[in-house]
Amino acid sequence: MKYNEISHFSHPQHILKFEYTEVPFKCDGCKEVGIGSRYRCSYCDFDLHMHCAIPSLSISHPFYKKCSFQFMSRPPGDTPRYCNACEKDVTGFVYHCKSCGFDLHPCCAKLPMVLDDGEVKLYLYRKVSSPCHKCGRKGRSWSYRSACKKYNLHVACVREMLVENWHELYFGHGKGFGGASSGGGSTRKLETRIPSLKNTLQTPHKRSKGKVKKCCEIAGLALQFVISAVLGDPTTLIAGVIGTLMSRG
């Protein structure tokens, strides 16, 4: 078997092949949205995030020093469970701590503690006292905050934006927007649905017009990198889908 092919317990009938896509897909492991690197069975339209395709049997996390998270193919028990990082439902693959009862989506469990592209540096916090740029509220879920402390984005808010803007992935035309996973034209179609910071920034600006524009551009870059991380591929700039700056338009 080649290095870019794997066999996986969740899809034993076929080999999964590594590929890269700029079109969003729904992971058949954790049931969450993904983009960028994935393992895929093209025969069955079956996709897995990298973190779901090659999971760790157990992990620890800096935010929960006393916990040991075990990888599970389905949530334990019969009661609904939610991810402690993004507050969204857990319906597939999950990292679960038996002693504390905490749950983490595989991509949330592997969120980088620092996102740095050389221009924007963001740090992951369990709780932040400053308001989120998307919802204007404090606290809530895990957050990414910029090094300058001016930009703060809840992981939960980013997840909500993805669900709102990519509604079809869950309730509409099925996986890959009815076969969009292979069409370049579909990528352009997606651009109008990609989350935008326009009219969503809750933090008031009291600066000159030029500085406001620069401020929004940096915030747009920050959101772009957080979306990439939440989707399971923090190295992806998703330029073909999101565009250079989401705050433009």
Side-chain angles (χ1 to χ4, degrees), residues 207-249:
R207 301 179 178 87
S208 65
K209 192 171 183 179
K211 289 185 178 180
V212 169
K213 182 180 179 183
K214 181 63 176 176
C215 173
C216 289
E217 286 182 354
I218 294 175
L221 280 171
L223 177 60
Q224 182 171 333
F225 299 131
V226 176
I227 286 176
S228 299
V230 168
L231 290 178
D233 197 341
T235 61
T236 304
L237 296 185
I238 328 177
V241 180
I242 293 185
T244 54
L245 289 172
M246 292 176 295
S247 55
R248 289 179 181 171

mmCIF file of all heavy atoms in Angstrom, residues 207-249:
data_model
loop_
_atom_site.group_PDB
_atom_site.id
_atom_site.type_symbol
_atom_site.label_atom_id
_atom_site.label_comp_id
_atom_site.label_asym_id
_atom_site.label_seq_id
_atom_site.Cartn_x
_atom_site.Cartn_y
_atom_site.Cartn_z
ATOM 1 N N ARG A 207 -11.622 55.286 14.883
ATOM 2 C CA ARG A 207 -10.362 55.644 14.257
ATOM 3 C C ARG A 207 -10.650 56.317 12.920
ATOM 4 O O ARG A 207 -11.775 56.393 12.479
ATOM 5 C CB ARG A 207 -9.501 54.390 14.021
ATOM 6 C CG ARG A 207 -9.169 53.606 15.289
ATOM 7 C CD ARG A 207 -8.335 52.371 14.924
ATOM 8 N NE ARG A 207 -7.957 51.612 16.086
ATOM 9 C CZ ARG A 207 -8.702 50.665 16.632
ATOM 10 N NH1 ARG A 207 -9.897 50.391 16.122
ATOM 11 N NH2 ARG A 207 -8.289 49.994 17.684
ATOM 12 N N SER A 208 -9.594 56.787 12.292
ATOM 13 C CA SER A 208 -9.753 57.390 10.976
ATOM 14 C C SER A 208 -10.157 56.313 9.977
ATOM 15 O O SER A 208 -9.992 55.128 10.216
ATOM 16 C CB SER A 208 -8.438 58.038 10.527
ATOM 17 O OG SER A 208 -7.438 57.048 10.344
ATOM 18 N N LYS A 209 -10.671 56.729 8.834
ATOM 19 C CA LYS A 209 -11.199 55.791 7.851
ATOM 20 C C LYS A 209 -10.145 54.797 7.382
ATOM 21 O O LYS A 209 -10.415 53.609 7.243
ATOM 22 C CB LYS A 209 -11.756 56.578 6.663
ATOM 23 C CG LYS A 209 -12.593 55.741 5.716
ATOM 24 C CD LYS A 209 -13.291 56.618 4.692
ATOM 25 C CE LYS A 209 -14.189 55.779 3.788
ATOM 26 N NZ LYS A 209 -14.881 56.623 2.798
ATOM 27 N N GLY A 210 -8.947 55.277 7.139
ATOM 28 C CA GLY A 210 -7.872 54.405 6.675
ATOM 29 C C GLY A 210 -7.519 53.340 7.693
ATOM 30 O O GLY A 210 -7.310 52.180 7.358
ATOM 31 N N LYS A 211 -7.457 53.720 8.964
ATOM 32 C CA LYS A 211 -7.122 52.761 10.011
ATOM 33 C C LYS A 211 -8.241 51.760 10.225
ATOM 34 O O LYS A 211 -7.998 50.611 10.560
ATOM 35 C CB LYS A 211 -6.809 53.491 11.319
ATOM 36 C CG LYS A 211 -5.485 54.249 11.287
ATOM 37 C CD LYS A 211 -5.162 54.850 12.646
ATOM 38 C CE LYS A 211 -3.810 55.551 12.616
ATOM 39 N NZ LYS A 211 -3.489 56.149 13.930
ATOM 40 N N VAL A 212 -9.476 52.201 10.050
ATOM 41 C CA VAL A 212 -10.612 51.282 10.181
ATOM 42 C C VAL A 212 -10.495 50.183 9.133
ATOM 43 O O VAL A 212 -10.689 49.006 9.426
ATOM 44 C CB VAL A 212 -11.952 52.023 10.020
ATOM 45 C CG1 VAL A 212 -13.102 51.028 9.891
ATOM 46 C CG2 VAL A 212 -12.195 52.922 11.218
ATOM 47 N N LYS A 213 -10.166 50.563 7.907
ATOM 48 C CA LYS A 213 -10.047 49.578 6.832
ATOM 49 C C LYS A 213 -8.944 48.571 7.147
ATOM 50 O O LYS A 213 -9.137 47.368 6.997
ATOM 51 C CB LYS A 213 -9.737 50.293 5.505
ATOM 52 C CG LYS A 213 -9.657 49.333 4.317
ATOM 53 C CD LYS A 213 -9.361 50.076 3.036
ATOM 54 C CE LYS A 213 -9.255 49.098 1.868
ATOM 55 N NZ LYS A 213 -8.894 49.783 0.609
ATOM 56 N N LYS A 214 -7.801 49.055 7.616
ATOM 57 C CA LYS A 214 -6.697 48.162 7.951
ATOM 58 C C LYS A 214 -7.089 47.244 9.102
ATOM 59 O O LYS A 214 -6.797 46.046 9.094
ATOM 60 C CB LYS A 214 -5.459 48.991 8.328
ATOM 61 C CG LYS A 214 -4.234 48.151 8.676
ATOM 62 C CD LYS A 214 -3.774 47.335 7.482
ATOM 63 C CE LYS A 214 -2.494 46.573 7.813
ATOM 64 N NZ LYS A 214 -2.074 45.699 6.704
ATOM 65 N N CYS A 215 -7.788 47.799 10.066
ATOM 66 C CA CYS A 215 -8.245 47.021 11.218
ATOM 67 C C CYS A 215 -9.142 45.887 10.762
ATOM 68 O O CYS A 215 -8.999 44.746 11.189
ATOM 69 C CB CYS A 215 -8.981 47.931 12.195
ATOM 70 S SG CYS A 215 -9.764 47.085 13.566
ATOM 71 N N CYS A 216 -10.082 46.169 9.874
ATOM 72 C CA CYS A 216 -11.009 45.157 9.387
ATOM 73 C C CYS A 216 -10.301 44.118 8.535
ATOM 74 O O CYS A 216 -10.660 42.940 8.537
ATOM 75 C CB CYS A 216 -12.138 45.798 8.584
ATOM 76 S SG CYS A 216 -13.303 46.737 9.592
ATOM 77 N N GLU A 217 -9.287 44.563 7.778
ATOM 78 C CA GLU A 217 -8.549 43.613 6.951
ATOM 79 C C GLU A 217 -7.809 42.608 7.818
ATOM 80 O O GLU A 217 -7.784 41.415 7.526
ATOM 81 C CB GLU A 217 -7.565 44.357 6.037
ATOM 82 C CG GLU A 217 -8.253 45.068 4.884
ATOM 83 C CD GLU A 217 -7.257 45.748 3.961
ATOM 84 O OE1 GLU A 217 -6.052 45.750 4.304
ATOM 85 O OE2 GLU A 217 -7.663 46.264 2.926
ATOM 86 N N ILE A 218 -7.185 43.082 8.899
ATOM 87 C CA ILE A 218 -6.478 42.182 9.797
ATOM 88 C C ILE A 218 -7.457 41.237 10.482
ATOM 89 O O ILE A 218 -7.205 40.050 10.644
ATOM 90 C CB ILE A 218 -5.666 42.980 10.840
ATOM 91 C CG1 ILE A 218 -4.549 43.767 10.142
ATOM 92 C CG2 ILE A 218 -5.058 42.055 11.891
ATOM 93 C CD1 ILE A 218 -3.769 44.691 11.057
ATOM 94 N N ALA A 219 -8.618 41.771 10.873
ATOM 95 C CA ALA A 219 -9.647 40.930 11.486
ATOM 96 C C ALA A 219 -10.129 39.882 10.489
ATOM 97 O O ALA A 219 -10.403 38.737 10.856
ATOM 98 C CB ALA A 219 -10.808 41.790 11.966
ATOM 99 N N GLY A 220 -10.228 40.271 9.213
ATOM 100 C CA GLY A 220 -10.629 39.323 8.182
ATOM 101 C C GLY A 220 -9.618 38.208 8.015
ATOM 102 O O GLY A 220 -9.977 37.039 7.869
ATOM 103 N N LEU A 221 -8.336 38.568 8.047
ATOM 104 C CA LEU A 221 -7.281 37.558 7.982
ATOM 105 C C LEU A 221 -7.357 36.625 9.180
ATOM 106 O O LEU A 221 -7.216 35.407 9.055
ATOM 107 C CB LEU A 221 -5.903 38.233 7.937
ATOM 108 C CG LEU A 221 -5.449 38.776 6.582
ATOM 109 C CD1 LEU A 221 -4.178 39.593 6.749
ATOM 110 C CD2 LEU A 221 -5.211 37.636 5.604
ATOM 111 N N ALA A 222 -7.581 37.197 10.363
ATOM 112 C CA ALA A 222 -7.674 36.399 11.580
ATOM 113 C C ALA A 222 -8.790 35.371 11.454
ATOM 114 O O ALA A 222 -8.617 34.191 11.773
ATOM 115 C CB ALA A 222 -7.906 37.304 12.793
ATOM 116 N N LEU A 223 -9.943 35.799 10.954
ATOM 117 C CA LEU A 223 -11.071 34.884 10.787
ATOM 118 C C LEU A 223 -10.740 33.790 9.791
ATOM 119 O O LEU A 223 -11.082 32.623 9.977
ATOM 120 C CB LEU A 223 -12.312 35.653 10.340
ATOM 121 C CG LEU A 223 -13.559 34.809 10.058
ATOM 122 C CD1 LEU A 223 -13.988 34.050 11.297
ATOM 123 C CD2 LEU A 223 -14.703 35.685 9.572
ATOM 124 N N GLN A 224 -10.055 34.165 8.730
ATOM 125 C CA GLN A 224 -9.698 33.185 7.706
ATOM 126 C C GLN A 224 -8.846 32.061 8.298
ATOM 127 O O GLN A 224 -9.079 30.883 8.032
ATOM 128 C CB GLN A 224 -8.930 33.876 6.578
ATOM 129 C CG GLN A 224 -8.545 32.949 5.428
ATOM 130 C CD GLN A 224 -7.999 33.714 4.253
ATOM 131 O OE1 GLN A 224 -8.325 34.868 4.043
ATOM 132 N NE2 GLN A 224 -7.156 33.072 3.476
ATOM 133 N N PHE A 225 -7.881 32.419 9.145
ATOM 134 C CA PHE A 225 -7.000 31.411 9.722
ATOM 135 C C PHE A 225 -7.728 30.549 10.750
ATOM 136 O O PHE A 225 -7.469 29.357 10.861
ATOM 137 C CB PHE A 225 -5.769 32.069 10.344
ATOM 138 C CG PHE A 225 -4.953 32.828 9.336
ATOM 139 C CD1 PHE A 225 -4.543 34.126 9.582
ATOM 140 C CD2 PHE A 225 -4.620 32.247 8.122
ATOM 141 C CE1 PHE A 225 -3.817 34.834 8.635
ATOM 142 C CE2 PHE A 225 -3.895 32.950 7.171
ATOM 143 C CZ PHE A 225 -3.487 34.241 7.426
ATOM 144 N N VAL A 226 -8.635 31.160 11.511
ATOM 145 C CA VAL A 226 -9.403 30.384 12.493
ATOM 146 C C VAL A 226 -10.323 29.397 11.779
ATOM 147 O O VAL A 226 -10.462 28.243 12.186
ATOM 148 C CB VAL A 226 -10.208 31.308 13.430
ATOM 149 C CG1 VAL A 226 -11.077 30.477 14.373
ATOM 150 C CG2 VAL A 226 -9.269 32.187 14.250
ATOM 151 N N ILE A 227 -10.957 29.841 10.674
ATOM 152 C CA ILE A 227 -11.802 28.937 9.893
ATOM 153 C C ILE A 227 -10.978 27.754 9.391
ATOM 154 O O ILE A 227 -11.401 26.602 9.471
ATOM 155 C CB ILE A 227 -12.448 29.684 8.708
ATOM 156 C CG1 ILE A 227 -13.565 30.606 9.206
ATOM 157 C CG2 ILE A 227 -13.011 28.703 7.686
ATOM 158 C CD1 ILE A 227 -14.204 31.451 8.121
ATOM 159 N N SER A 228 -9.776 28.036 8.892
ATOM 160 C CA SER A 228 -8.913 26.960 8.402
ATOM 161 C C SER A 228 -8.630 25.943 9.495
ATOM 162 O O SER A 228 -8.681 24.729 9.267
ATOM 163 C CB SER A 228 -7.587 27.539 7.889
ATOM 164 O OG SER A 228 -7.797 28.428 6.815
ATOM 165 N N ALA A 229 -8.338 26.428 10.710
ATOM 166 C CA ALA A 229 -8.026 25.534 11.824
ATOM 167 C C ALA A 229 -9.239 24.715 12.228
ATOM 168 O O ALA A 229 -9.149 23.502 12.450
ATOM 169 C CB ALA A 229 -7.506 26.349 13.013
ATOM 170 N N VAL A 230 -10.397 25.364 12.323
ATOM 171 C CA VAL A 230 -11.627 24.671 12.729
ATOM 172 C C VAL A 230 -12.008 23.606 11.707
ATOM 173 O O VAL A 230 -12.552 22.549 12.049
ATOM 174 C CB VAL A 230 -12.777 25.689 12.921
ATOM 175 C CG1 VAL A 230 -14.118 24.981 13.054
ATOM 176 C CG2 VAL A 230 -12.520 26.540 14.161
ATOM 177 N N LEU A 231 -11.710 23.854 10.440
ATOM 178 C CA LEU A 231 -12.036 22.901 9.381
ATOM 179 C C LEU A 231 -11.034 21.760 9.280
ATOM 180 O O LEU A 231 -11.144 20.906 8.411
ATOM 181 C CB LEU A 231 -12.127 23.617 8.027
ATOM 182 C CG LEU A 231 -13.327 24.550 7.854
ATOM 183 C CD1 LEU A 231 -13.282 25.229 6.498
ATOM 184 C CD2 LEU A 231 -14.631 23.799 8.015
ATOM 185 N N GLY A 232 -10.050 21.758 10.163
ATOM 186 C CA GLY A 232 -9.147 20.623 10.225
ATOM 187 C C GLY A 232 -7.860 20.754 9.464
ATOM 188 O O GLY A 232 -7.085 19.807 9.386
ATOM 189 N N ASP A 233 -7.590 21.911 8.859
ATOM 190 C CA ASP A 233 -6.357 22.081 8.094
ATOM 191 C C ASP A 233 -5.829 23.493 8.301
ATOM 192 O O ASP A 233 -6.044 24.379 7.479
ATOM 193 C CB ASP A 233 -6.591 21.812 6.616
ATOM 194 C CG ASP A 233 -5.292 21.572 5.859
ATOM 195 O OD1 ASP A 233 -4.228 21.968 6.387
ATOM 196 O OD2 ASP A 233 -5.326 21.003 4.763
ATOM 197 N N PRO A 234 -5.130 23.739 9.409
ATOM 198 C CA PRO A 234 -4.668 25.100 9.723
ATOM 199 C C PRO A 234 -3.636 25.650 8.758
ATOM 200 O O PRO A 234 -3.374 26.849 8.751
ATOM 201 C CB PRO A 234 -4.067 24.949 11.128
ATOM 202 C CG PRO A 234 -3.733 23.502 11.245
ATOM 203 C CD PRO A 234 -4.772 22.777 10.446
ATOM 204 N N THR A 235 -3.042 24.801 7.929
ATOM 205 C CA THR A 235 -2.065 25.287 6.954
ATOM 206 C C THR A 235 -2.741 25.788 5.688
ATOM 207 O O THR A 235 -2.106 26.365 4.820
ATOM 208 C CB THR A 235 -1.083 24.165 6.574
ATOM 209 O OG1 THR A 235 -1.815 23.082 5.985
ATOM 210 C CG2 THR A 235 -0.356 23.644 7.802
ATOM 211 N N THR A 236 -4.033 25.558 5.575
ATOM 212 C CA THR A 236 -4.761 25.946 4.363
ATOM 213 C C THR A 236 -5.182 27.407 4.429
ATOM 214 O O THR A 236 -5.854 27.823 5.351
ATOM 215 C CB THR A 236 -6.025 25.075 4.200
ATOM 216 O OG1 THR A 236 -5.642 23.703 4.203
ATOM 217 C CG2 THR A 236 -6.730 25.387 2.892
ATOM 218 N N LEU A 237 -4.827 28.171 3.417
ATOM 219 C CA LEU A 237 -5.293 29.559 3.338
ATOM 220 C C LEU A 237 -6.618 29.640 2.588
ATOM 221 O O LEU A 237 -7.300 30.647 2.624
ATOM 222 C CB LEU A 237 -4.246 30.441 2.647
ATOM 223 C CG LEU A 237 -2.926 30.553 3.393
ATOM 224 C CD1 LEU A 237 -2.008 31.541 2.672
ATOM 225 C CD2 LEU A 237 -3.150 31.020 4.823
ATOM 226 N N ILE A 238 -6.983 28.564 1.908
ATOM 227 C CA ILE A 238 -8.261 28.474 1.200
ATOM 228 C C ILE A 238 -8.478 29.673 0.285
ATOM 229 O O ILE A 238 -9.581 30.189 0.155
ATOM 230 C CB ILE A 238 -9.457 28.355 2.177
ATOM 231 C CG1 ILE A 238 -9.052 27.615 3.446
ATOM 232 C CG2 ILE A 238 -10.604 27.596 1.519
ATOM 233 C CD1 ILE A 238 -10.173 27.529 4.461
ATOM 234 N N ALA A 239 -7.403 30.127 -0.366
ATOM 235 C CA ALA A 239 -7.491 31.329 -1.191
ATOM 236 C C ALA A 239 -8.516 31.181 -2.308
ATOM 237 O O ALA A 239 -9.230 32.131 -2.638
ATOM 238 C CB ALA A 239 -6.119 31.649 -1.772
ATOM 239 N N GLY A 240 -8.622 29.985 -2.873
ATOM 240 C CA GLY A 240 -9.543 29.797 -3.985
ATOM 241 C C GLY A 240 -10.997 29.844 -3.570
ATOM 242 O O GLY A 240 -11.872 30.034 -4.396
ATOM 243 N N VAL A 241 -11.275 29.663 -2.283
ATOM 244 C CA VAL A 241 -12.647 29.639 -1.823
ATOM 245 C C VAL A 241 -13.016 30.920 -1.070
ATOM 246 O O VAL A 241 -13.986 31.579 -1.370
ATOM 247 C CB VAL A 241 -12.890 28.413 -0.905
ATOM 248 C CG1 VAL A 241 -14.319 28.385 -0.423
ATOM 249 C CG2 VAL A 241 -12.567 27.135 -1.662
ATOM 250 N N ILE A 242 -12.213 31.256 -0.102
ATOM 251 C CA ILE A 242 -12.556 32.395 0.748
ATOM 252 C C ILE A 242 -12.149 33.716 0.109
ATOM 253 O O ILE A 242 -12.770 34.741 0.328
ATOM 254 C CB ILE A 242 -11.876 32.240 2.130
ATOM 255 C CG1 ILE A 242 -12.497 31.044 2.869
ATOM 256 C CG2 ILE A 242 -12.081 33.487 2.971
ATOM 257 C CD1 ILE A 242 -12.008 30.866 4.254
ATOM 258 N N GLY A 243 -11.117 33.712 -0.710
ATOM 259 C CA GLY A 243 -10.652 34.977 -1.257
ATOM 260 C C GLY A 243 -9.564 35.544 -0.365
ATOM 261 O O GLY A 243 -9.333 35.074 0.743
ATOM 262 N N THR A 244 -8.893 36.567 -0.840
ATOM 263 C CA THR A 244 -7.765 37.094 -0.091
ATOM 264 C C THR A 244 -8.162 37.728 1.224
ATOM 265 O O THR A 244 -7.520 37.554 2.237
ATOM 266 C CB THR A 244 -6.983 38.111 -0.937
ATOM 267 O OG1 THR A 244 -7.918 39.122 -1.399
ATOM 268 C CG2 THR A 244 -6.336 37.467 -2.129
ATOM 269 N N LEU A 245 -9.255 38.485 1.219
ATOM 270 C CA LEU A 245 -9.752 39.103 2.448
ATOM 271 C C LEU A 245 -11.272 39.029 2.487
ATOM 272 O O LEU A 245 -11.930 39.555 1.614
ATOM 273 C CB LEU A 245 -9.321 40.583 2.543
ATOM 274 C CG LEU A 245 -7.829 40.828 2.802
ATOM 275 C CD1 LEU A 245 -7.538 42.301 2.659
ATOM 276 C CD2 LEU A 245 -7.452 40.366 4.191
ATOM 277 N N MET A 246 -11.792 38.384 3.522
ATOM 278 C CA MET A 246 -13.241 38.211 3.573
ATOM 279 C C MET A 246 -13.977 39.477 3.943
ATOM 280 O O MET A 246 -15.180 39.581 3.792
ATOM 281 C CB MET A 246 -13.568 37.111 4.575
ATOM 282 C CG MET A 246 -13.119 35.753 4.111
ATOM 283 S SD MET A 246 -13.428 34.515 5.370
ATOM 284 C CE MET A 246 -12.306 35.102 6.638
ATOM 285 N N SER A 247 -13.255 40.479 4.436
ATOM 286 C CA SER A 247 -13.933 41.717 4.836
ATOM 287 C C SER A 247 -14.172 42.645 3.660
ATOM 288 O O SER A 247 -14.814 43.663 3.787
ATOM 289 C CB SER A 247 -13.089 42.440 5.900
ATOM 290 O OG SER A 247 -11.783 42.652 5.426
ATOM 291 N N ARG A 248 -13.642 42.283 2.484
ATOM 292 C CA ARG A 248 -13.901 43.083 1.294
ATOM 293 C C ARG A 248 -15.221 42.683 0.673
ATOM 294 O O ARG A 248 -15.688 41.568 0.842
ATOM 295 C CB ARG A 248 -12.780 42.893 0.277
ATOM 296 C CG ARG A 248 -11.467 43.541 0.700
ATOM 297 C CD ARG A 248 -10.403 43.288 -0.340
ATOM 298 N NE ARG A 248 -9.129 43.880 0.064
ATOM 299 C CZ ARG A 248 -8.003 43.677 -0.567
ATOM 300 N NH1 ARG A 248 -7.964 42.898 -1.625
ATOM 301 N NH2 ARG A 248 -6.885 44.242 -0.147
ATOM 302 N N GLY A 249 -15.760 43.543 -0.128
ATOM 303 C CA GLY A 249 -16.977 43.176 -0.829
ATOM 304 C C GLY A 249 -17.757 44.348 -1.154
ATOM 305 O O GLY A 249 -18.731 44.794 -0.946
#
